[in-house]
Every structure is written in C-alpha cells, then in structure tokens.
C-alpha cells in the first residue's frame, strides 16, 4: 500500500520555464547509438525527461534567485556566510559549520581527521563517494542496515534503520578502539531513499555513548527523512518538521551534507559540528583552506551560500515536502497499478523498478535493468539509470562480475522540476513497454573501463 501524500497540486506556480523537447524515434535511436547504448553518455538536449539523478537538478525559488543577486563576493567574511551560519544553527542546532563545494568536499575535509588507517566506519549503508572517502583515509566502511532493506517487498516503514544488535556485535568483536566513528545516512540513499526512524537514531546514540564513539550524520536528505518520521513513526504525527530535525541532530556530534539535495541548490555542501567538537572544528578549518577554500566560503560563491541559506528553510515547508514525497509515491503507485514491480515502500527521492523480475527472460549477465533503461529511452526519451549489476562492477580478487541480489532501474525525481503530468508520461511509457517486454533483448559490454564502469561503458545487444 502506498500512503497518499498527494491530495494537493504542486504548491508553487511557474514563473520561468525551460523548454524541453522529445526527439523523434529515429533521433532517439541515433543518439543512443552514438552514446554506445549508455544513457549516461547522452547529451541532455537529447533527453525529454531526465530522471538520472536528484542531485543538483532541482529548481530554485524566486526567493533563492533574489538571494543570488545579493551575493557578497568578498574573499573573507562575506555576509552570505553569516546568513548561512545563522540558518545552520537555527535549523540543526549546531554552532559550528564550514561551507564546502559539495558533499564529497565535506567528506574529504572531515574524514581523515577522524579515521586512523585500518579503522572501521560502521553505518546503515554508505553512499558511494562516502565509502570512497572512508577508504581514501585508510578506513573500512561497513554496512549494518537492517535485513528488510534487502527485501524489495517488505513493507517495513524504516528500511534505513541500523541493525542495532549487529552494530553492538560488530563493536564488541572488533573492539571500540578500532572504530573511527558511526555514520548514519538519512535518508538511506543507497538503500533506495528509505528513512531512518528517530527511535533507531536514539538507540544508535546510546550505543555510541556506551562505547564512547563519535556519531555523525550523512545528512543529504535530512528534511525528507524528517517528513517520513512525522508520517510513519508513532507519536511523531503532530510534531513540526523542525522539531523533529532538531531532536534528530542533537543526538549526533556533527554532519556532512550535500546541499545538492535537500539544500535545494545546484551546488554546495556543509560540515556541521556540535558544541562539543571545537577541537575538531579547528583541525577541519586547517584542512578546509588548502582543499576547499577560505573558511568563509569553502568553495562556494557568496551568492550560492545565500541561495543555500534560503533553500534550507524552504525545504522544511510541509506542503513542499508532502508534494515532493507524494510526487515520487504517486509515480510509484502508477507503476504498481500497471503491474511493474518496484521497491516498496516507495522511497523519498526515487522509484526503483525491479528490472531483473520484470524482464525475467533475461539472465542477470545480460544486464536486464540496463536493457530496460535503453528501451525506456527509445520508447519515451526518458533517462533513467541502472543500479545493479553494471554498477556493482567486478570482484577485485577474481575479476568476475559481481552479481548483486538486486538489479534495479532508478527513476530519480528532481525537486520542483517536473509536474505530475511528466510523471504520468513516464508511467505511460512503462505501460507501452509492458506490452512487449518479452521481446526486449539483453546487452553486453563492448567497452569496459576498469573503474566506475557504469559512467562510460559501451554496449551492444545480444
Ligand atoms: C550525494 C550524496 C553525497 C555526496 O555529495 P555530492 O554533493 O554529490 O558530493 C554523500 N552522501 C549522500 C547520502 C548523498 O546522497
């Protein structure tokens, strides 16, 4: 069952439009051939509705654009920095913050200060760049999300929750001294945008306190997570979103944040630190200057800091969040209605289609979800992305293709960018594909890069 968050239409009206166009079928075929059947390599002008990612692809408000005009581009002490500092303290309750050019910049500054080579970083489920920065700092990322996260049809309301017994077990086994910090990702991006409950965060904090371990939040979708808490967690339904966020963040020692998601801006990032972390702040400042920029801009223009300071407030609006999460849920429900198997409950920022199940005539070695991405683009000009066997890559020891249990196609919805009509068009495209899905052919790679192959690989049909 899908919760109905969408009694209302879009809670905004449109002041500026960006034309998009659907190429002819022939044009799409040519474009995709040129791209080696890899939608990542399409030009955006060749795409009608782009659901590749929700990162940095959202629309800013008139108020944010007005803020862009009041950018103070002073090298040091820009007024927009102080506006952003006020917003961070007001919303998250953290007195210390540093701006960065995006989320991975925050990770790059902070993680080496927390990780000794060989240390573990347990979390619910780490995002790709986050894991990469843990590893670059010599650490080892460990995913301890609850088992429901791996069951596509489990209706568990908080599939991003940490498995508490597994966390305690892990700490006991490895010894607290070998653990750098605990990281909670909200919502759990790699787990499908699934939320983390406030109750689970409290239990993680108790574990962190018991073993004297720092607890950090990877906070890219902090507002969407708070919305799910309000809607799904018993006792939370009458609390304001801001109160939930405050309580959630008070449990941690700090956060890294990609502002390209719930910051409602196209580029930017943050490090936030609790009052107890003054020493860490000093060290982070020292790293920030050579890596990102001076402490009052950290890789962001003054105008971008202003847009972010305003975006952080806009994302808390409940009618915005209801429409945002509701738009994604609405798309998911339309797919369910026509028999397309998807991950449930539907996450906050994307619908994940179970390509392996829907195209069950294709063996996993023939990349069913990639084949579906290709068909979707040809049918409709919609760009999606495979999150499955291609993304998983090869085992570094054996060189064999890793066969992940899930082989999915992700439809990632940018914020405030497309209307429900666009989503209906996407669902209709799946309806058409459904009629002929047994005829869809699998693909194999004709060019396979050694690392991060999904971005630039080429394919041919088998
Ligand atoms: C996007 C994202 C990041 C990385 O942020 P960038 O702004 O893309 O560098 C880290 N963690 C999570 C959970 C994310 O979604």
């Amino acid at each position: 069952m899908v919760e109905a968050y969408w009694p209302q239409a879009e809670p905004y009206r449109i002041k500026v439009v960006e034309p998009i166009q659907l190429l002819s079928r022939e044009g799409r075929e040519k474009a995709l051939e040129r791209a080696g059947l890899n939608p990542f390599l399409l030009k955006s002008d060749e795409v009608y509705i782009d659901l590749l990612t929700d990162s940095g692809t959202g629309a800013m408000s008139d108020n944010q654009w007005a803020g862009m005009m009041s950018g103070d581009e002073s090298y040091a002490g820009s007024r927009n920095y102080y506006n952003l500092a006020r917003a961070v303290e007001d919303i998250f309750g953290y007195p210390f913050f540093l701006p960065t050019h995006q989320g991975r910049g925050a990770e790059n500054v902070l993680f080496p200060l927390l990780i000794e080579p060989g240390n573990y970083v347990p979390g619910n489920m780490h995002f790709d760049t986050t894991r990469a920065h843990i590893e670059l700092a010599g650490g080892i990322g460990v995913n301890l999300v609850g088992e429901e996260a791996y069951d596509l049809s489990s209706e568990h309301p908080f599939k991003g929750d940490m498995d508490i017994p597994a966390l305690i077990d892990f700490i006991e086994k490895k010894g607290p001294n070998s653990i750098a910090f605990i990281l909670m990702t909200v919502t759990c991006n790699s787990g499908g945008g699934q939320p983390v409950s406030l109750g689970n965060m409290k239990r993680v904090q108790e574990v962190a306190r018991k073993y004297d371990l720092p607890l950090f939040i990877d906070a890219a979708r902090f507002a969407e997570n708070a919305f799910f808490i309000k809607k799904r967690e018993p006792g939370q339904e009458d609390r304001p979103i801001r109160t939930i966020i405050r309580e959630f963040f008070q449990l941690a020692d700090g956060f890294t944040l990609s502002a390209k998601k719930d910051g409602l801006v196209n580029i930017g990032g943050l490090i936030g630190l609790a009052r107890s972390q003054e020493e860490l702040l000093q060290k982070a400042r020292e790293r920030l200057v050579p890596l990102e920029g001076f402490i009052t801009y950290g890789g962001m223009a003054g105008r971008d800091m202003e847009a972010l300071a305003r975006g952080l407030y806009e994302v808390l609006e409940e009618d915005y969040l209801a429409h945002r999460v509701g738009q994604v849920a609405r798309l998911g429900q339309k797919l369910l209605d026509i028999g397309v198997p998807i991950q449930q409950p539907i996450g906050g920022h994307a619908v994940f289609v179970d390509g392996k199940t829907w195209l069950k005539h294709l063996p996993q070695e023939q990349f069913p979800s990639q084949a579906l991405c290709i068909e979707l683009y040809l049918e409709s000009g919609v760009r999606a992305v495979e999150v499955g066997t291609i993304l998983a890559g090869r085992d570094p020891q054996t060189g064999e293709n890793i066969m992940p249990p899930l082989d999915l196609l992700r439809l990632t919805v940018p914020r405030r960018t497309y209307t429900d009509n666009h989503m209906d068009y996407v669902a209709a495209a799946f309806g058409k594909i459904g009629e002929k899905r047994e005829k869809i052919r699998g693909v194999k790679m004709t060019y396979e890069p050694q690392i991060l192959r999904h971005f630039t690989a080429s394919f041919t049909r088998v």
Side-chain angles (χ1 to χ4, degrees), residues 267-298:
I267 194 80
L270 295 174
I271 295 170
L273 294 172
R275 181 154 313 279
S276 59
Q277 302 300 310
E278 200 157 356
E279 208 177 305
L280 184 59
L281 173 75
Q282 288 307 339
K283 293 187 195 147
R285 281 178 156 178
E286 286 169 28
R287 279 178 64 78
L288 190 78
V289 177
L291 291 173
E292 296 283 307
F294 185 65
I295 53 171
T296 61
Y297 75 88

Side-chain angles (χ1 to χ4, degrees), residues 102-104 107 127 129-130 185 189 218 221 258 260-261:
Q102 61 185 88
R104 65 200 68 183
E107 293 163 355
F127 180 68
T129 66
T130 314
T185 302
N189 183 356
D218 183 355
R221 296 175 184 80
S258 167
K260 301 173 71 170
K261 287 79 172 221

Side-chain angles (χ1 to χ4, degrees), residues 31 92 162 172 226:
F92 301 103
M162 190 97 76
E172 290 283 345

